[in-house]
Amino acid sequence: MQNIVHPSVHARNPLQRFLIATELDTRLLGMVGALAIIWIGFHVFSGGLFLTPRNLWNLSVQTASVAVMVTGMVLVIVTRNIDLSVGSILGLVAMVMGVMQTDILPTQLGLGLGHPLIWVLSLAAGLIVGTGIGALQGSIIAYLRVPAFIVTLGGYLVWRGAAWWVTMGRTVAPMDPTFQLMGGGPTGSVGAFWSWVVGIVACCAIVAGLYMGRRQRRRFNFPLRPVWAEAALAIIGCGLTIAAVWVANAYPWPVRIAEKYAEATGMAIPPEGLFISHGIAIPVLIAMGVGMVMTFIATRTRFGRYVFAMGGNPEAAELAGINTRWVTVKIFMLMGALCAIAAAISSARLNAATNAMGTLDELYVIAAAVIGGTSLAGGVGTIAGALLGALVMQSLQSGMVLMGLDSPLQSIVVGIVLVFAVWLDTLYRRNKH
């Protein structure tokens, strides 16, 4: 059986030929280009402060919690729903996990401060609460037929108030030392060696994925990408991975912390000073892991196919035998669980659970999903695009902080970007049809 000729052989423009051959999403490439312009622009206007290992490392950590939640928001929006309560759920779950660590487990259950099970049980409690809230909201939406906008708007108010009632407005701190590792920092990073291990494993996974994809195409007699295109994708993917690891390793521990660590471990401090790399932060690894799992769920499972079928045509999906109500409940349960993971990252990074935690996160999560190409009309969206959208949103916020812009002006810029992204989505769908 002869393989079908790939359409790239008929393209005359070199750029067009490259894009068709590699099958790269042009919309995703446009976002990458926009991100590059944002980074370069902020680097120039901030006096060279933006594109530094320190700022890029902090940017990755700051993006982690929104990145985790936006992977679930993609599925919510794809099914033509919305979740306005994610920030409030994060705040409530963070408060619950904080109380578990500071009061319930150490004192009432007698585990004692520093017990190795405290962070595990606290995280489990947070996941249960988050998933339970998602199940409740999803059931009201699916079975009582109350619009998701109204249910989650009510949740936005209810869960924020509930977070206050958990401790009567008191800030809960400090968190368990092991739990704090999920927030990043010098000890919440994997260091230079393990960062390179992660990078090498990621490069191997990229190459293996391209190889397996080519085998599957040949097996089912699909058009094969040219070998040079496969090689280009491997080089680009591995190059970006290595560059990211290099940046993470180029950011050293603060001098005082490094000196204290050297004194505690008996390490000799060289004359030029001690350089200990942060490496990749643990919250970034968590966000990457969540992104890979959610991508697999969205593209490789029956549940994921049901989600996109519902978003494309809910009536046809129901007539095809899909239990749309149960799928809706599961989507919101998954969203609640992801809010719990994001709550763990946020509270661990702050080393406290506060009443303000998660405020306006729903805005950033929805904006990141829409900027990442998820259509509010339903049926269209990718996890990778949403993660890139989260990075764009956080880059805007970080850059404006470095430039010293006031908070109200930051909100104005974010609002304008969100409206602009929805307008682009409208144009994209109109031109496509």
Side-chain angles (χ1 to χ4, degrees), residues 133-147:
I133 291 173
L136 175 62
Q137 294 189 155
S139 298
I140 295 173
I141 293 164
Y143 293 103
L144 300 183
R145 301 294 188 181
V146 182

Side-chain angles (χ1 to χ4, degrees), residues 97-113 115 117-123 125:
M97 289 191 292
V99 171
M100 288 286 290
Q101 293 172 64
T102 59
D103 183 28
I104 296 175
L105 292 174
T107 59
Q108 296 184 22
L109 296 183
L111 290 183
L113 293 172
H115 193 283
L117 285 178
I118 285 181
W119 77 273
V120 177
L121 296 175
S122 299
L123 184 59

